[in-house]
Amino acid sequence: MISLAIMAVLSPFLHVVYLIDDKEGILGFTYMSSFMYSLSLPIMAICSGLLLKYTGTLLTDLNIYFRYISNSFLFVGIFFMVYTFVPMFDFSSSIYFIGLLIVSVILTIASHYLHKAVLTTEERLKKIISKLFDFIILETPRKHVSEEKQIDYVISYEKIINEIGDE
């Protein structure tokens, strides 16, 4: 999350790299600095949207508000990112903007479900790990370790738990 925040804060300054010695641009941009500038604000919006989406999962009472705000940030960022990469001269303006809207909405919805999948996968892994630890700590000593070796077993898993806690 820190890397997203750093990227969001620094992205508006991407074009500064090319201000001293500007290069030829790409994708129809005359200069590389103008191309980097057109990328900077969408990157900032996307990173901010992802940060707000993550924050919304932590604040359950405000989750719905953060979800709408983060999706708005993601939509704007994706819209202008697509705007930067798709050349305008191929279609009429109305078709171009309708296509831009459709692609932006689809990508915003896809990013929502991708974020949701990542969070649910993380929660599922936490539950699995918790169940494994319960089995290792509670079930194994009672059912699978002889009484004379139970003290050694408890000492060894306490050592492992302390090592995990230090990481």
Side-chain angles (χ1 to χ4, degrees):
M1 289 301 133
I2 299 287
S3 58
L4 267 178
I6 291 170
M7 190 182 303
V9 169
L10 294 180
S11 67
F13 304 102
L14 287 173
H15 69 286
V16 172
V17 175
Y18 290 101
L19 286 181
I20 295 171
D21 185 28
D22 214 349
K23 306 279 188 235
E24 183 180 342
I26 57 174
L27 298 174
F29 288 88
T30 308
Y31 299 105
M32 196 63 172
S33 60
S34 60
F35 173 71
M36 296 303 281
Y37 182 74
S38 70
L39 280 181
S40 64
L41 296 178
I43 291 173
M44 184 175 78
I46 290 170
C47 290
S48 299
L50 291 173
L51 284 170
L52 288 170
K53 190 172 274 295
Y54 176 74
T55 304
T57 61
L58 300 176
L59 304 171
T60 54
D61 53 332
L62 299 173
N63 185 4
I64 193 157
Y65 302 112
F66 273 88
R67 188 171 48 208
Y68 287 126
I69 293 169
S70 67
N71 284 338
S72 299
F73 269 86
L74 287 171
F75 175 78
V76 168
I78 291 169
F79 180 88
F80 284 105
M81 188 70 75
V82 172
Y83 184 84
T84 299
F85 286 112
V86 177
M88 189 168 182
F89 55 85
D90 291 343
F91 306 108
S92 69
S93 296
S94 59
I95 291 175
Y96 179 73
F97 284 112
I98 290 170
L100 253 162
L101 283 171
I102 291 170
V103 168
S104 298
V105 167
I106 290 170
L107 290 176
T108 301
I109 292 168
S111 70
H112 169 73
Y113 285 113
L114 180 64
H115 183 261
K116 190 175 180 180
V118 167
L119 288 180
T120 56
T121 302
E122 181 181 355
E123 290 302 316
R124 282 185 27 229
L125 287 174
K126 284 179 182 178
K127 286 179 184 176
I128 290 170
I129 290 169
S130 176
K131 287 180 181 181
L132 285 172
F133 268 105
D134 287 346
F135 176 77
I136 291 168
I137 293 170
L138 302 174
E139 295 293 321
T140 303
R142 281 189 258 144
K143 294 182 179 178
H144 304 287
V145 177
S146 63
E147 287 184 33
E148 56 272 352
K149 293 185 179 183
Q150 281 186 0
I151 294 174
D152 292 335
Y153 182 79
V154 170
I155 291 170
S156 66
Y157 78 67
E158 283 179 350
K159 184 194 266 186
I160 291 171
I161 289 173
N162 288 335
E163 288 176 9
I164 291 172
D166 292 339
E167 291 180 10

Short mmCIF file of all heavy atoms in Angstrom, two decimals, residues 68-95:
data_model
loop_
_atom_site.label_atom_id
_atom_site.label_comp_id
_atom_site.label_asym_id
_atom_site.label_seq_id
_atom_site.Cartn_x
_atom_site.Cartn_y
_atom_site.Cartn_z
N TYR A 68 -17.93 3.65 -3.78
CA TYR A 68 -18.35 4.54 -4.87
C TYR A 68 -17.26 5.55 -5.22
O TYR A 68 -17.00 5.81 -6.39
CB TYR A 68 -19.65 5.27 -4.51
CG TYR A 68 -20.86 4.38 -4.54
CD1 TYR A 68 -21.70 4.28 -3.43
CD2 TYR A 68 -21.17 3.63 -5.67
CE1 TYR A 68 -22.82 3.46 -3.45
CE2 TYR A 68 -22.28 2.81 -5.69
CZ TYR A 68 -23.10 2.73 -4.58
OH TYR A 68 -24.19 1.91 -4.61
N ILE A 69 -16.64 6.11 -4.21
CA ILE A 69 -15.58 7.10 -4.46
C ILE A 69 -14.40 6.44 -5.15
O ILE A 69 -13.85 6.98 -6.13
CB ILE A 69 -15.16 7.78 -3.14
CG1 ILE A 69 -16.31 8.64 -2.61
CG2 ILE A 69 -13.92 8.63 -3.35
CD1 ILE A 69 -16.09 9.14 -1.20
N SER A 70 -14.00 5.26 -4.68
CA SER A 70 -12.85 4.59 -5.29
C SER A 70 -13.17 4.16 -6.73
O SER A 70 -12.32 4.29 -7.61
CB SER A 70 -12.42 3.39 -4.47
OG SER A 70 -13.40 2.38 -4.48
N ASN A 71 -14.38 3.69 -6.96
CA ASN A 71 -14.75 3.33 -8.34
C ASN A 71 -14.76 4.56 -9.25
O ASN A 71 -14.43 4.47 -10.42
CB ASN A 71 -16.10 2.62 -8.37
CG ASN A 71 -16.01 1.19 -7.90
OD1 ASN A 71 -14.94 0.58 -7.91
ND2 ASN A 71 -17.12 0.65 -7.45
N SER A 72 -15.15 5.71 -8.71
CA SER A 72 -15.11 6.95 -9.50
C SER A 72 -13.68 7.31 -9.87
O SER A 72 -13.39 7.67 -11.01
CB SER A 72 -15.75 8.10 -8.72
OG SER A 72 -17.09 7.81 -8.44
N PHE A 73 -12.77 7.21 -8.89
CA PHE A 73 -11.36 7.47 -9.17
C PHE A 73 -10.82 6.50 -10.22
O PHE A 73 -10.12 6.89 -11.14
CB PHE A 73 -10.53 7.36 -7.89
CG PHE A 73 -10.37 8.65 -7.14
CD1 PHE A 73 -11.32 9.05 -6.23
CD2 PHE A 73 -9.26 9.44 -7.34
CE1 PHE A 73 -11.19 10.23 -5.53
CE2 PHE A 73 -9.10 10.62 -6.65
CZ PHE A 73 -10.07 11.02 -5.74
N LEU A 74 -11.16 5.21 -10.05
CA LEU A 74 -10.70 4.21 -11.01
C LEU A 74 -11.26 4.48 -12.40
O LEU A 74 -10.55 4.38 -13.41
CB LEU A 74 -11.09 2.81 -10.55
CG LEU A 74 -10.30 2.26 -9.37
CD1 LEU A 74 -10.93 0.96 -8.87
CD2 LEU A 74 -8.86 2.03 -9.75
N PHE A 75 -12.55 4.84 -12.47
CA PHE A 75 -13.16 5.13 -13.76
C PHE A 75 -12.46 6.29 -14.47
O PHE A 75 -12.11 6.20 -15.64
CB PHE A 75 -14.65 5.43 -13.59
CG PHE A 75 -15.31 5.84 -14.88
CD1 PHE A 75 -15.65 4.89 -15.81
CD2 PHE A 75 -15.55 7.17 -15.16
CE1 PHE A 75 -16.25 5.25 -17.01
CE2 PHE A 75 -16.14 7.55 -16.35
CZ PHE A 75 -16.49 6.58 -17.28
N VAL A 76 -12.23 7.37 -13.73
CA VAL A 76 -11.58 8.55 -14.33
C VAL A 76 -10.16 8.20 -14.78
O VAL A 76 -9.73 8.55 -15.88
CB VAL A 76 -11.58 9.73 -13.34
CG1 VAL A 76 -10.68 10.85 -13.81
CG2 VAL A 76 -13.00 10.24 -13.13
N GLY A 77 -9.43 7.48 -13.92
CA GLY A 77 -8.06 7.09 -14.27
C GLY A 77 -8.02 6.19 -15.48
O GLY A 77 -7.20 6.39 -16.39
N ILE A 78 -8.89 5.20 -15.52
CA ILE A 78 -8.93 4.27 -16.66
C ILE A 78 -9.39 4.99 -17.92
O ILE A 78 -8.84 4.78 -19.01
CB ILE A 78 -9.82 3.06 -16.33
CG1 ILE A 78 -9.13 2.20 -15.26
CG2 ILE A 78 -10.12 2.25 -17.57
CD1 ILE A 78 -10.01 1.12 -14.67
N PHE A 79 -10.36 5.88 -17.79
CA PHE A 79 -10.85 6.64 -18.94
C PHE A 79 -9.70 7.40 -19.60
O PHE A 79 -9.49 7.31 -20.81
CB PHE A 79 -11.95 7.61 -18.51
CG PHE A 79 -12.52 8.42 -19.63
CD1 PHE A 79 -13.58 7.94 -20.37
CD2 PHE A 79 -11.98 9.67 -19.95
CE1 PHE A 79 -14.11 8.69 -21.41
CE2 PHE A 79 -12.51 10.42 -20.99
CZ PHE A 79 -13.57 9.93 -21.72
N PHE A 80 -8.95 8.15 -18.80
CA PHE A 80 -7.87 8.95 -19.38
C PHE A 80 -6.65 8.11 -19.77
O PHE A 80 -5.89 8.52 -20.65
CB PHE A 80 -7.50 10.10 -18.44
CG PHE A 80 -8.52 11.21 -18.50
CD1 PHE A 80 -9.42 11.39 -17.47
CD2 PHE A 80 -8.60 12.04 -19.60
CE1 PHE A 80 -10.38 12.38 -17.53
CE2 PHE A 80 -9.55 13.04 -19.68
CZ PHE A 80 -10.45 13.22 -18.64
N MET A 81 -6.49 6.95 -19.16
CA MET A 81 -5.42 6.05 -19.58
C MET A 81 -5.74 5.51 -20.98
O MET A 81 -4.89 5.48 -21.86
CB MET A 81 -5.26 4.91 -18.58
CG MET A 81 -4.07 4.03 -18.81
SD MET A 81 -2.49 4.81 -18.46
CE MET A 81 -2.51 4.79 -16.69
N VAL A 82 -6.99 5.08 -21.18
CA VAL A 82 -7.42 4.61 -22.50
C VAL A 82 -7.34 5.76 -23.50
O VAL A 82 -6.89 5.58 -24.64
CB VAL A 82 -8.85 4.02 -22.43
CG1 VAL A 82 -9.40 3.72 -23.82
CG2 VAL A 82 -8.86 2.77 -21.57
N TYR A 83 -7.73 6.95 -23.08
CA TYR A 83 -7.67 8.14 -23.93
C TYR A 83 -6.25 8.40 -24.42
O TYR A 83 -6.02 8.80 -25.55
CB TYR A 83 -8.19 9.34 -23.14
CG TYR A 83 -8.27 10.63 -23.91
CD1 TYR A 83 -9.36 10.90 -24.69
CD2 TYR A 83 -7.25 11.57 -23.83
CE1 TYR A 83 -9.46 12.09 -25.39
CE2 TYR A 83 -7.34 12.76 -24.52
CZ TYR A 83 -8.44 13.02 -25.30
OH TYR A 83 -8.52 14.20 -25.99
N THR A 84 -5.27 8.12 -23.55
CA THR A 84 -3.87 8.34 -23.91
C THR A 84 -3.38 7.30 -24.92
O THR A 84 -2.66 7.63 -25.85
CB THR A 84 -2.97 8.27 -22.65
OG1 THR A 84 -3.38 9.29 -21.75
CG2 THR A 84 -1.51 8.45 -22.99
N PHE A 85 -3.80 6.05 -24.77
CA PHE A 85 -3.25 4.98 -25.59
C PHE A 85 -4.01 4.71 -26.89
O PHE A 85 -3.48 4.08 -27.79
CB PHE A 85 -3.17 3.68 -24.79
CG PHE A 85 -2.05 3.69 -23.79
CD1 PHE A 85 -2.32 3.71 -22.44
CD2 PHE A 85 -0.74 3.70 -24.21
CE1 PHE A 85 -1.30 3.73 -21.52
CE2 PHE A 85 0.30 3.71 -23.30
CZ PHE A 85 0.02 3.73 -21.95
N VAL A 86 -5.25 5.18 -27.01
CA VAL A 86 -6.02 4.93 -28.22
C VAL A 86 -6.01 6.19 -29.08
O VAL A 86 -6.47 7.24 -28.64
CB VAL A 86 -7.48 4.55 -27.88
CG1 VAL A 86 -8.31 4.38 -29.13
CG2 VAL A 86 -7.50 3.28 -27.05
N PRO A 87 -5.49 6.10 -30.29
CA PRO A 87 -5.44 7.29 -31.15
C PRO A 87 -6.86 7.72 -31.57
O PRO A 87 -7.70 6.89 -31.88
CB PRO A 87 -4.62 6.84 -32.36
CG PRO A 87 -4.65 5.36 -32.34
CD PRO A 87 -4.89 4.93 -30.92
N MET A 88 -7.08 9.03 -31.59
CA MET A 88 -8.41 9.56 -31.83
C MET A 88 -8.78 9.62 -33.31
O MET A 88 -9.94 9.62 -33.66
CB MET A 88 -8.52 10.95 -31.22
CG MET A 88 -9.90 11.51 -31.22
SD MET A 88 -9.95 12.95 -30.18
CE MET A 88 -11.65 13.37 -30.31
N PHE A 89 -7.83 9.65 -34.18
CA PHE A 89 -8.11 9.88 -35.59
C PHE A 89 -8.72 8.68 -36.31
O PHE A 89 -9.12 8.79 -37.45
CB PHE A 89 -6.85 10.34 -36.33
CG PHE A 89 -5.68 9.41 -36.16
CD1 PHE A 89 -5.53 8.30 -36.98
CD2 PHE A 89 -4.73 9.65 -35.19
CE1 PHE A 89 -4.46 7.45 -36.83
CE2 PHE A 89 -3.66 8.80 -35.04
CZ PHE A 89 -3.51 7.71 -35.86
N ASP A 90 -8.83 7.52 -35.68
CA ASP A 90 -9.37 6.35 -36.35
C ASP A 90 -10.89 6.36 -36.48
O ASP A 90 -11.43 5.76 -37.38
CB ASP A 90 -8.97 5.08 -35.59
CG ASP A 90 -7.49 4.79 -35.69
OD1 ASP A 90 -6.83 5.36 -36.58
OD2 ASP A 90 -7.01 4.00 -34.88
N PHE A 91 -11.59 7.01 -35.55
CA PHE A 91 -13.05 6.99 -35.52
C PHE A 91 -13.59 8.42 -35.46
O PHE A 91 -12.87 9.36 -35.21
CB PHE A 91 -13.55 6.23 -34.27
CG PHE A 91 -12.98 4.86 -34.13
CD1 PHE A 91 -12.05 4.59 -33.16
CD2 PHE A 91 -13.39 3.83 -34.97
CE1 PHE A 91 -11.51 3.32 -33.02
CE2 PHE A 91 -12.86 2.56 -34.84
CZ PHE A 91 -11.92 2.31 -33.86
N SER A 92 -14.91 8.53 -35.66
CA SER A 92 -15.53 9.83 -35.45
C SER A 92 -15.53 10.12 -33.95
O SER A 92 -15.45 9.21 -33.12
CB SER A 92 -16.96 9.83 -36.00
OG SER A 92 -17.78 9.00 -35.22
N SER A 93 -15.67 11.37 -33.59
CA SER A 93 -15.59 11.77 -32.18
C SER A 93 -16.65 11.10 -31.33
O SER A 93 -16.37 10.64 -30.21
CB SER A 93 -15.73 13.29 -32.05
OG SER A 93 -14.66 13.92 -32.67
N SER A 94 -17.88 11.01 -31.82
CA SER A 94 -18.95 10.40 -31.01
C SER A 94 -18.69 8.91 -30.77
O SER A 94 -18.84 8.42 -29.66
CB SER A 94 -20.31 10.61 -31.67
OG SER A 94 -20.32 10.06 -32.96
N ILE A 95 -18.29 8.19 -31.81
CA ILE A 95 -17.99 6.76 -31.65
C ILE A 95 -16.78 6.59 -30.72
O ILE A 95 -16.76 5.70 -29.87
CB ILE A 95 -17.72 6.10 -33.02
CG1 ILE A 95 -19.01 6.04 -33.82
CG2 ILE A 95 -17.13 4.71 -32.85
CD1 ILE A 95 -18.86 5.54 -35.23
#
